[in-house]
Amino acid sequence: MTALLEIGALTAHYGDFQALFGVDLRLEAGETVAIIGANGAGKSTLMRSIVGIAKVSGGRVRLSGEEIQGLGAPEILIRGVSMVPEGRRLFPSLTVEENLLIGGQIRKVGGNWTLERIYELFPVLRQRRHDPSTALSGGQQQMVAIGRALMSNPRVLLCDELSLGLAPVVIKEIYAAVPTIKQSGASMIVVEQDISQALKVADRIYCLMKGRVTLSGAPKELSREAIHDAYFGVAHA
């Protein structure tokens, strides 16, 4: 069966530095896949490669069997792949609502994410909709970044470091939105340094280390020891 998103033997660079070495990954329709790994493992480069903004030097990226590797970022977005980038990258001169509306300028036809649905998902954004994005807390800015990505009506939502730098109570609130996002028809890839959080949300996980997949599988099939060893590169004699 054709996967919703299939990555095969992907090689990519960050500047002159090779960041990915033959990465394979599959995302099935309706799944949440978590990618874990320490800083410098290649997680963000993988996300950027999927959406067409990293330098891919080999391999393939297919969406529902269609080759999308080599397309520009706008073409990939309109085909239904959207990303919440690390660091959120909101437009500081724009209001919350203006940031959200920008996300809807390139939309996949047939989706149903609107401003009203974003405000239902994150009610605090309705209250802050006329405020500049710089006036928001880090957690609220992350909600805007998620909402902006959803406004394109994605089939695949990539979330790069959702919980980075956020308080536990805010992380819980943001991850509480995941079931609603999945019910809308979006499948998700979530990059997480927090192993426990990744195991809670994921149907399958991939562990990256130095640009290579060191472990993959369903959380219930993987021991904590195996995950720990893959994350930190522990070798057994």
Side-chain angles (χ1 to χ4, degrees), residues 121-197:
L121 185 66
F122 298 121
V124 68
L125 298 187
R126 186 193 302 274
Q127 302 166 23
R128 306 296 303 270
R129 64 187 182 276
H130 298 309
D131 293 342
S133 61
T134 51
L136 273 58
S137 68
Q140 291 167 353
Q141 289 182 19
Q142 189 69 287
M143 293 173 190
V144 176
I146 294 168
R148 180 180 61 186
L150 289 173
M151 285 288 287
S152 68
N153 289 317
R155 285 191 283 167
V156 177
L157 180 66
L158 310 179
C159 300
D160 194 358
E161 301 287 12
L162 272 185
S163 65
L164 187 64
L166 301 180
V169 65
V170 178
I171 295 169
K172 183 177 180 180
E173 185 177 1
I174 286 173
Y175 271 99
V178 168
T180 301
I181 293 171
K182 292 182 69 174
Q183 288 167 12
S184 76
S187 303
M188 300 178 68
I189 298 180
V190 178
V191 166
E192 261 298 346
Q193 288 191 46
D194 185 331
I195 296 175
S196 296
Q197 185 62 64

Side-chain angles (χ1 to χ4, degrees), residues 66-88:
E66 176 190 2
E67 187 73 47
I68 62 171
Q69 195 278 312
L71 298 178
E75 290 83 3
I76 292 173
L77 178 60
I78 204 167
R79 282 166 171 77
V81 183
S82 185
M83 183 168 71
V84 181
E86 181 183 359
R88 300 177 279 275

